Amino acid sequence: MRPVHTTALLASTLALGLSACTVSVRPNLGLQVSGSNLISGLKPDRGEGSTYAVGESVRILVGTRSPGYVTLVALQSNGYASVLVRNVYIQPGTTAFPRAQDGQSFTVAPPRGVQRVRAIFTRVRPSSDLVVSGTYDSSGFNTVTNAYVTSYPQADRDVQETFFYIR
């Protein structure tokens, strides 16, 4: 009996050790301006938390329940933020960015690590462009996003975030 007990203990310890290797922590979910449920889905084309090599193309899928305007902002692992798509009108359903009619592509580039993509959606045409320039920590990135959307009624805005890894 003792060898079976030891084997079971060893196997469960090994399983716990291996499971710890696959745990991933989702980037910032502390979006204070989200929650109106207008964005029904947001993910990279390979799925949230997927991995892309430098030089590969990525598409961002944005699902919405209402027509409106979307802005996509990327936050790199080094804290540098940039606007990918600005105030683009979309219909309800899923839209893949970049869109074919835009004639552009999103090619993955360094730095390696976690790439966050935030979708900002408003039902009404934004009165200004989101200005994102420079390097941000999570709280600074949230501050810029919050300041941009708080002028819109909560029922007319939504902000969601997804991520992928660059290797």
Side-chain angles (χ1 to χ4, degrees), residues 72-100:
L72 297 177
V73 184
L75 183 66
Q76 299 173 2
S77 61
N78 63 2
Y80 183 78
S82 59
V83 175
L84 301 174
V85 171
R86 188 183 316 268
N87 298 338
V88 174
Y89 183 79
I90 59 172
Q91 293 293 329
T94 300
T95 304
F97 289 97
R99 301 177 306 171

Side-chain angles (χ1 to χ4, degrees), residues 59-74:
R59 294 179 60 151
I60 305 297
L61 308 175
V62 180
T64 62
R65 292 182 169 80
S66 171
Y69 298 84
V70 68
T71 294
L72 297 177
V73 184

Side-chain angles (χ1 to χ4, degrees), residues 1-165:
M1 280 281 194
R2 186 173 172 118
V4 172
H5 177 69
T6 304
T7 303
L9 180 61
L10 180 62
S12 65
T13 302
L14 181 60
L16 286 174
L18 289 177
S19 68
C21 294
T22 59
V23 173
S24 64
V25 178
R26 184 180 167 119
N28 177 41
L29 290 177
L31 300 173
Q32 297 176 7
V33 294
S34 66
S36 65
N37 204 25
L38 295 171
I39 298 174
S40 59
L42 176 65
K43 65 182 180 179
D45 55 356
R46 292 184 189 166
E48 185 167 73
S50 56
T51 301
Y52 295 81
V54 169
E56 290 184 317
S57 292
V58 61
R59 294 179 60 151
I60 305 297
L61 308 175
V62 180
T64 62
R65 292 182 169 80
S66 171
Y69 298 84
V70 68
T71 294
L72 297 177
V73 184
L75 183 66
Q76 299 173 2
S77 61
N78 63 2
Y80 183 78
S82 59
V83 175
L84 301 174
V85 171
R86 188 183 316 268
N87 298 338
V88 174
Y89 183 79
I90 59 172
Q91 293 293 329
T94 300
T95 304
F97 289 97
R99 301 177 306 171
Q101 67 262 36
D102 295 335
Q104 66 183 55
S105 64
F106 297 155
T107 303
V108 176
R112 290 172 166 79
V114 175
Q115 173 77 53
R116 294 165 47 189
V117 178
R118 187 167 286 184
I120 301 167
F121 180 84
T122 58
R123 286 191 217 214
V124 295
R125 183 170 182 77
S127 57
S128 65
D129 286 338
L130 174 64
V131 176
V132 178
S133 163
T135 303
Y136 299 89
D137 61 11
S138 287
S139 64
F141 192 51
N142 288 342
T143 299
V144 169
T145 301
N146 293 349
Y148 179 69
V149 298
T150 53
S151 63
Y152 302 97
Q154 189 165 1
D156 289 335
R157 69 177 190 232
D158 198 3
V159 180
Q160 298 294 325
E161 186 173 284
T162 189
F163 71 100
F164 59 91
Y165 296 98

